[in-house]
Amino acid sequence: MSAMTVVWIYGAWCGLIAVGVGLGRVTWEFLGIGVRGVWRGLGPWQTGGADQRIPAVGGGEPAPLAYWWRQMWTDGLSAAGYGFRVVGSELADPWLERTGKNLFRGRTPSGTLTDSPFSAALLVVFVAPGTVAGALLGAALAGVLLGAFLTVFGLLLALLWLGCAVAVPVLRGAERGWELARGIRVKCPYPRCYRPVPLAVHRCPGCESPHASLRPGRYGLLWHRCTCGRRLPTTRAMRRGSLTTLCPHCDRRLPRAVGSTRVVHAPLIGGTSSGKTMLMAAMVEGLHAFARRGELTVEYASPDDRAVAVDLNLELRQTGWARATTGGQPRALMLTVTRGRRRRLLYLYDPMGESVSEADRVRAQPYLQHTDGVVLVADVLADAGVRGKLGEDDISRATAARPSSQGPWDTYQRLTGELQALTGRRERLSVATVVTKRDILDQLTTLPVPGPRVDDWLTEIGLDRLVRALGGDFRAARYWAVSARAATGTGPLESEQRRAAEPVLWLLAVSGLGTGALAGPGGRPGVKERRLRLRGPRDRERTPA
């Protein structure tokens, strides 16, 4: 027998031992060890256990990143590495460090001595090489199988990540589509801000931490977990609207209805002492008058709005007049108005009369960019042409009514051009023109009494160019004559309160709220209305509802 034949026989024997050891035991033992190592590497499995792989929460958002966003990959890679390290450690010790060395020393795998030198020689020559080769072969095969397992596991993680990543724009798109379908455009109601609010800042009810990114994204799909441990919903369907919200620009609190209710911006535009503030108070009382009859549901959007309305009504009851509006840009008075299944968040702005005295001042009123309809407050007693038609007694009555320093035509001229520049959509807006101080107008003998068609009455007393301009520049124009004094203060007339609210109800109806039937004859041209003359401020109600 040649030497080469002996070598081949010896190699076949060692290969047989290696295959038997590797495939019969080591491969599956190492594979099990590797899988268990991967499983342990995904831990710790005890709640509250420390894990250095989890990054500390930092930056501007007080919430950890969603597990699927990044931590899933960190845990997967670290667990895979731990599984391979466990297999490598098991190969080194006990297979190579103890079992292999003992066999090459002529001892049993456990390290005990053999019975004779011949047995030791057999272990060294015929068992040790095949066993060590089998251990290496088994470790290699186990590594390949473990790698295949981890590859499948990685693909499943990739599918999970992809599904979550796709869910983010889907959920955001659904929210945005819902907003567009309902016409929801959130704007800050506070002075020196008035900016759009694409996403409000939400406060955690547990620790008051501000969350500026509470929406489906990298911090979570349906919930974000605050650093205090509380779960916060990310969508309106999950009741995100129940959280306190702040404007992200000025950090002031927004009404609860913001973000879930369409906003209607309605500024009251008129000169100083034209009666804007009293008219706004009358409008609010009128809305509540409709609510008392069950035709509407009206609520103040926040405790601050209730306090403002209460203070204003108290002042009107005590003095009969409202102080002139001061303080620069106005804060919107906000109410939620519900009719049927539809609801609107009404922003009523009462700016200073001086804000429309010059074009530059009109441009400094950024809330006009968001207006959905204008309430033009017309004090006709401030018009020089109208005053020129008054007799001596009527001049005294008009002077006692504190006429505005700026007539309605001048106010309109200041407003209309700048409104087009600010909004770019004046022709799509509606304007409700409200003639104020009707209680005084009803007492004048040298002017006709405002009739059912206030636009015809304005034309008759010489303000025809105002009527023509309103009809040509805006999408729609309606006219009312209101006595805010008769609708506020002590002993207000409920019918006059409802009449004061009709312009607002008409603007709300234009936005899609079903209040058109409540807007009165002023909101439906052609319907006749009987209006009797009020002879004095103490007269009882003489105007039919």
Side-chain angles (χ1 to χ4, degrees):
M1 183 180 295
S2 65
M4 184 61 67
T5 302
V6 174
V7 171
W8 276 105
I9 292 174
Y10 180 71
W13 171 258
C14 291
L16 183 62
I17 296 294
V19 170
V21 172
L23 295 181
R25 176 181 175 182
V26 176
T27 298
W28 312 112
E29 180 181 325
F30 280 8
L31 182 60
I33 291 173
V35 171
R36 289 194 298 271
V38 171
W39 182 254
R40 287 196 302 270
L42 292 173
W45 296 104
Q46 184 177 2
T47 303
D51 194 340
Q52 296 180 351
R53 296 170 297 179
I54 300 177
V57 177
E61 190 71 10
L65 293 171
Y67 183 77
W68 64 269
W69 179 258
R70 187 176 66 185
Q71 192 63 39
M72 178 180 71
W73 296 108
T74 301
D75 290 349
L77 291 174
S78 65
Y82 183 69
F84 282 109
R85 288 196 300 273
V86 168
V87 172
S89 298
E90 189 70 15
L91 174 64
D93 186 14
W95 279 96
L96 298 182
E97 184 66 25
R98 284 182 289 172
T99 301
K101 284 185 177 181
N102 286 334
L103 289 174
F104 276 112
R105 291 172 182 172
R107 300 187 178 189
T108 64
S110 61
T112 59
L113 296 174
T114 58
D115 297 336
S116 63
F118 180 73
S119 299
L122 290 176
L123 290 177
V124 171
V125 175
F126 293 104
V127 177
T131 301
V132 171
L136 294 173
L137 175 63
L141 291 175
V144 171
L145 293 176
L146 183 61
F149 166 76
L150 291 174
T151 300
V152 174
F153 182 62
L155 291 175
L156 293 177
L157 291 183
L159 289 176
L160 176 61
W161 186 92
L162 183 61
C164 293
V166 170
V168 169
V170 169
L171 291 173
R172 289 188 182 183
E175 288 256 307
R176 183 56 179 163
W178 183 82
E179 291 177 354
L180 293 175
R182 303 192 64 174
I184 296 176
R185 296 177 291 118
V186 181
K187 305 295 188 302
C188 179
Y190 295 103
R192 294 175 298 280
C193 187
Y194 302 125
R195 297 170 66 181
V197 182
L199 181 64
V201 175
H202 294 79
R203 284 199 179 279
C204 173
C207 63
E208 296 296 315
S209 296
H211 292 255
S213 299
L214 193 58
R215 59 178 178 175
R218 58 179 180 166
Y219 295 100
L221 291 179
L222 300 180
W223 293 278
H224 290 185
R225 186 170 293 278
C226 183
T227 51
C228 69
R230 186 182 292 267
R231 291 198 312 177
L232 305 179
T234 62
T235 62
R236 295 182 181 88
M238 302 298 294
R239 298 181 59 81
R240 184 182 64 186
S242 62
L243 303 178
T244 300
T245 56
L246 306 175
C247 173
H249 309 295
C250 64
D251 202 35
R252 285 178 280 191
R253 185 168 179 173
L254 298 173
R256 188 174 294 274
V258 160
S260 61
T261 307
R262 180 173 175 177
V263 180
V264 176
H265 301 262
L268 280 70
I269 304 299
T272 304
S273 190
S274 61
K276 300 188 310 301
T277 304
M278 292 183 66
L279 177 60
M280 185 177 72
M283 287 176 168
V284 173
E285 290 302 308
L287 292 174
H288 285 291
F290 278 104
R292 288 192 294 270
R293 299 176 63 174
E295 297 172 299
L296 292 173
T297 300
V298 180
E299 297 176 346
Y300 292 104
S302 70
D304 291 340
D305 296 296
R306 181 184 297 275
V308 169
V310 169
D311 292 343
L312 178 57
N313 287 330
L314 180 61
E315 180 183 1
L316 291 173
R317 284 195 297 269
Q318 290 177 346
T319 66
W321 295 94
R323 290 193 299 268
T325 304
T326 58
Q329 297 175 344
R331 175 194 181 276
L333 177 65
M334 297 170 285
L335 305 98
T336 57
V337 182
T338 306
R339 182 167 170 84
R341 300 179 62 182
R342 295 186 178 183
R343 184 172 70 161
R344 294 291 183 268
L345 177 58
L346 177 64
Y347 282 21
L348 289 175
Y349 298 92
D350 177 24
M352 297 187 303
E354 292 85 351
S355 63
V356 291
S357 61
E358 297 176 4
D360 291 342
R361 293 188 175 184
V362 176
R363 285 193 293 270
Q365 309 298 314
Y367 57 88
L368 291 176
Q369 300 175 16
H370 315 308
T371 184
D372 296 285
V374 177
V375 178
L376 181 62
V377 182
D379 181 6
V380 298
L381 297 177
D383 184 79
V386 174
R387 286 200 307 270
K389 299 179 180 181
L390 300 180
E392 185 175 345
D393 293 338
D394 287 345
I395 290 177
S396 299
R397 295 188 182 97
T399 302
R402 304 178 183 180
S404 174
S405 58
Q406 182 174 295
W409 173 247
D410 295 329
T411 300
Y412 176 78
Q413 286 184 304
R414 301 287 188 276
L415 170 68
T416 180
E418 301 307 321
L419 187 62
Q420 175 64 23
L422 287 170
T423 66
R425 52 186 176 88
R426 183 187 62 195
E427 66 281 354
R428 298 200 301 270
L429 299 178
S430 300
V431 57
T433 302
V434 181
V435 175
T436 55
K437 305 178 182 179
R438 187 183 59 84
D439 52 325
I440 302 299
L441 296 174
D442 283 347
Q443 299 177 42
L444 302 180
T445 58
T446 51
L447 284 182
V449 176
R453 292 297 301 264
V454 179
D455 51 345
D456 293 342
W457 176 79
L458 288 171
T459 300
E460 185 179 357
I461 65 173
L463 292 174
D464 50 312
R465 58 179 177 175
L466 175 63
V467 175
R468 289 195 303 271
L470 290 171
D473 292 339
F474 288 87
R475 171 190 175 187
R478 295 291 183 269
Y479 302 83
W480 285 264
V482 172
S483 171
R485 179 182 291 274
T488 58
T490 304
L493 305 179
E494 183 173 319
S495 64
E496 199 65 21
Q497 290 178 337
R498 295 196 301 271
R499 189 182 304 278
E502 288 176 3
V504 174
L505 293 173
W506 178 65
L507 292 178
L508 290 172
V510 173
S511 75
L513 191 66
T515 53
L518 306 180
R524 298 192 305 274
V527 179
K528 295 300 181 181
E529 174 190 42
R530 183 169 57 91
R531 172 90 42 96
L532 302 180
R533 185 186 297 273
L534 297 180
R535 290 301 180 185
R538 296 186 179 181
D539 282 11
R540 301 299 297 170
E541 179 178 357
R542 298 186 182 182
T543 303

